[in-house]
Amino acid sequence: MDNQNLDELIRAGRNIQAFALIREQFGCSLTEAIDVLSEHHLRLKVEQPSEQPNQRSSTDDDGPKHQVWREDKAANQRRAADS
């Protein structure tokens, strides 16, 4: 297996593509592919702790759930002000 391609996919947060590559290369079951992917994540985390796979940058805000919560909170505050 080309570990470099797999590592690049994991660093880019492209877990589904990494998962598919593992299954294609090894011909393994879903459970085995999950184990291999987890092992690669752990190895990368140990080797390069400053570049943790799948970490959002600070510019990504807090994610979609937090954004929706803020919008709901703002709408609730407008409703309360209108009452």
Side-chain angles (χ1 to χ4, degrees):
M1 169 180 266
D2 185 2
N3 284 338
Q4 186 174 2
N5 284 343
L6 179 60
D7 292 350
E8 289 174 11
L9 289 171
I10 292 170
R11 281 190 198 103
R14 300 180 68 189
N15 289 321
I16 293 173
Q17 290 84 357
F19 186 73
L21 179 64
I22 291 167
R23 295 218 48 218
E24 178 183 306
Q25 295 291 321
F26 288 129
C28 57
S29 70
L30 295 174
T31 305
E32 291 167 331
I34 290 169
D35 291 341
V36 171
L37 186 60
S38 295
E39 289 171 11
H40 275 272
H41 271 277
L42 291 174
R43 183 181 53 79
L44 288 175
K45 188 174 183 178
V46 169
E47 288 177 1
Q48 300 169 344
S50 62
E51 291 183 34
Q52 292 186 12
N54 291 330
Q55 291 294 315
R56 290 177 177 233
S57 70
S58 59
T59 59
D60 285 344
D61 200 17
D62 295 325
K65 291 181 181 177
H66 291 280
Q67 185 65 34
V68 170
W69 180 81
R70 279 193 212 113
E71 291 170 0
D72 289 345
K73 184 178 176 183
N76 289 339
Q77 288 172 345
R78 284 193 300 272
R79 282 188 212 113
D82 291 343
S83 306

